Amino acid sequence: MLRFLSHSALLFFLLCFPLSPDARAVDGQFPVDSNLKAGSAKVDITPDETEGVMVSGHPRKVFGVRDPLRAGVLLLDDGENKIAIVTLDTLGAWPEMVALVRARLEQERGIPSANILVAASHNHSGPAFKADSPWGRQLIDKIASAAADAAASMRPVSIGYGEDEISFGVNRRKVIDGRAVVRLNPEGPNDPRVKVLRFDDGKSLTPLAVLMHAVCHPCFFTWGDKGTAPYPNGYPKMSADFPGEAQSFVEMCYGGKTAAMFLQGCAGDIRPNLPGFPYRCADEADIQWAGRDLGSAVVRSLAQSVTREQLSQRPNYYAIRTASAVVDLPGKEERLSAELMAIKIGPYLLLTMPGEPMVEYGFKLEKAIADRAIPIVIGYANGNLGYIATADAHQVGGYEPNRSPLAPEAEAVILFELSRLADRVVGDVFESFSKHPADVKRREAQEPRLPSTPQGQTSTP
């Protein structure tokens, strides 16, 4: 009928009788033309037994649960390479746990072990992991189940990025007369930035998944002091601390239709700013402050990153590259091995360390890489080495370097090896162009390999 109308009559017809919604762009939707597919899922990992349980981080008995502990799984596939990012509301990514998670996901989801990142929030109010315990076995099963759910929801996505800031973190080291002491130090180095990745299928303004990265010890509910009520011995219930509160806030803002996952940064010497002797345990007001402060920063970033100006800057091709190395680090008593990892997803570069790096590590790595990729430096991942202090910190001592099993010389090794891994996944620098067979063989021999998985299979980057 429309082809028989004049131009003026056609315009009148369209104004009075608009086309069906399917024929128009629907507000809040946007096209996603991308090679990258993603799927995500969250699962409650709170132990069944929570009465009189000893939690780790700040060892104490707890009775009941304030809020659930959860794990998140994000699967990504660029058409050639697959990766998995697993986040946990736990104190650490213990080596035995990492090995079991990797073995299970490799077997069931076909993701190479070397392409699986397992990261902990460093929560001080949850249980320790034992593989042969009921909770340990249940944890691995639940992560595998979440991975299956994530795999079933895979669909094309594009990635948005944003930054904001939090206000509750503070450095906890102060150098007085040449020695470092534990003290809240607002003048000390700190990183209040929040880095946010959102994965969108374009069907709505609700992201499929969110990765939020911040820098602060999740110890709001620990280390009470005798002069501060109501919790002089630490909070008496199990909790996911501020990362859990923030994840719940973000998910609430999107009606429970997104999976918010937390990645901890270089928080070895950064803690909540709760004054006391030397600091106090948090109460309900404090945890709401921190959770909503971080959650609001994340939501602000998420909202801004889907404006049309930001959407126009998103690439439509995201190459996934991974590289891992088990390095030999100088220790105080013996040499120690540590796994370092680099994952590049389009322009975004994740660099990981298996312990508690002091905040300066993040600054130094970013300075080295920021003109080549968007860096996100992650601690507490793929292992549980303990404190990773800087060489300068070792000179003045204090809690972190004194507790660290590493010697001061370890810093240079870690920074150098992570830079090499970044070079490999960014792929914009070369040490040699030579294709001579001897040079190729030598380079291949230098390629780091991960140790064998529990099934006896060896994974290579």
Side-chain angles (χ1 to χ4, degrees):
M1 179 181 73
L2 294 180
R3 64 190 179 93
F4 297 108
L5 298 176
S6 66
H7 288 297
S8 58
L10 177 60
L11 178 60
F12 176 81
F13 180 90
L14 292 175
L15 290 174
C16 296
F17 305 98
L19 299 178
S20 66
D22 291 338
R24 298 177 298 159
V26 178
D27 195 25
Q29 296 184 358
F30 52 92
V32 168
D33 177 20
S34 170
N35 68 305
L36 185 67
K37 291 184 178 180
S40 64
K42 296 281 289 288
V43 61
D44 189 329
I45 59 169
T46 310
D48 294 332
E49 179 56 56
T50 59
E51 293 294 320
V53 173
M54 185 71 72
V55 295
S56 56
H58 175 191
R60 66 196 189 279
K61 283 188 176 182
V62 296
F63 297 86
V65 178
R66 178 196 175 272
D67 56 284
L69 312 183
R70 293 182 292 173
V73 178
L74 175 65
L75 304 183
L76 298 172
D77 184 345
D78 71 352
E80 295 183 3
N81 298 304
K82 298 178 181 180
I83 64 170
I85 298 174
V86 179
T87 62
L88 297 158
D89 292 332
T90 58
L91 181 72
W94 294 278
E96 189 176 15
M97 180 182 74
V98 173
L100 290 169
V101 169
R102 284 175 163 170
R104 192 75 173 268
L105 298 193
E106 183 175 53
Q107 179 184 11
E108 296 181 5
R109 305 270 71 85
I111 302 171
S113 290
N115 291 5
I116 299 172
L117 165 61
V118 182
S121 69
H122 196 46
N123 173 34
H124 284 48
S125 295
F129 177 80
K130 294 181 180 179
D132 58 352
S133 70
W135 181 70
R137 292 189 293 269
Q138 186 181 65
L139 175 63
I140 304 302
D141 288 342
K142 286 187 173 183
I143 293 172
S145 176
D149 291 342
S153 68
M154 298 287 287
R155 50 193 183 270
V157 297
S158 65
I159 305 176
Y161 177 78
E163 292 188 11
D164 209 291
E165 291 192 355
I166 52 175
S167 63
F168 55 81
V170 66
N171 194 282
R172 68 182 188 190
R173 287 171 55 85
K174 178 78 172 179
V175 178
I176 301 174
D177 294 332
R179 65 187 181 94
V181 296
V182 174
R183 176 177 171 182
L184 299 183
N185 181 14
E187 285 74 46
N190 187 21
D191 188 356
R193 294 172 301 169
V194 179
K195 299 182 178 183
V196 184
L197 291 172
R198 61 176 292 159
F199 299 81
D200 289 294
D201 61 11
K203 299 183 185 300
S204 72
L205 294 177
T206 297
L208 178 149
V210 175
L211 287 178
M212 64 176 85
H213 174 274
V215 179
C216 185
H217 257 69
C219 57
F220 267 83
F221 282 145
T222 64
W223 305 115
D225 65 70
K226 302 303 180 184
T228 308
Y231 309 117
N233 297 311
Y235 192 75
K237 291 187 178 182
M238 196 172 290
S239 170
D241 210 280
F242 82 82
E245 191 79 1
Q247 291 172 74
S248 295
F249 183 90
V250 173
E251 290 166 355
M252 176 195 71
C253 289
Y254 288 96
K257 296 181 180 180
T258 192
M261 299 165 59
F262 179 83
L263 295 171
Q264 182 64 265
C266 299
D269 52 344
I270 306 300
R271 64 152 288 121
N273 191 3
L274 299 174
F277 302 98
Y279 25 72
R280 63 174 174 81
C281 178
D283 57 25
E284 189 62 27
D286 299 315
I287 201 67
Q288 288 191 19
W289 161 47
R292 295 175 186 184
D293 189 27
L294 174 55
S296 295
V298 172
V299 171
R300 283 194 301 271
S301 297
L302 293 172
Q304 196 271 339
S305 61
V306 285
T307 59
R308 65 188 67 180
E309 292 81 7
Q310 294 297 314
L311 288 175
S312 68
Q313 298 176 27
R314 293 191 186 185
N316 58 12
Y317 182 77
Y318 301 86
I320 294 175
R321 297 191 180 100
T322 67
S324 299
V326 177
V327 298
D328 189 32
L329 298 177
K332 293 175 181 176
E333 298 181 359
E334 59 183 356
R335 299 193 72 83
L336 301 166
S337 64
E339 182 190 332
L340 307 176
M341 176 181 261
I343 297 177
K344 189 169 183 289
I345 310 162
Y348 309 107
L349 175 64
L350 310 183
L351 297 173
T352 77
M353 285 173 273
E356 304 193 50
M358 293 177 68
V359 69
E360 291 93 338
Y361 275 90
F363 295 142
K364 292 178 181 181
L365 287 165
E366 286 193 17
K367 184 177 180 180
I369 198 69
D371 65 330
R372 303 161 59 200
I374 299 173
I376 300 175
V377 184
I378 303 165
Y380 313 89
N382 299 334
N384 194 34
L385 190 61
Y387 282 104
I388 305 175
T390 62
D392 287 344
H394 280 279
Q395 298 302 311
V396 293
Y399 182 76
E400 296 82 6
N402 291 347
R403 292 287 301 275
S404 175
L406 299 173
E409 295 78 16
E411 177 188 350
V413 179
I414 292 170
L415 294 178
F416 176 76
E417 293 295 340
L418 278 173
S419 294
R420 286 184 69 246
L421 293 176
D423 290 347
R424 288 174 56 193
V425 298
V426 175
D428 62 349
V429 297
F430 302 90
E431 292 184 1
S432 171
F433 285 100
S434 174
K435 298 297 183 181
H436 189 281
D439 291 332
V440 172
K441 185 176 181 180
R442 181 167 54 252
R443 285 198 298 270
E444 289 177 347
Q446 292 173 347
E447 292 292 304
R449 300 172 69 89
L450 284 177
S452 298
T453 66
Q455 288 87 359
Q457 300 172 333
T458 301
S459 300
T460 56

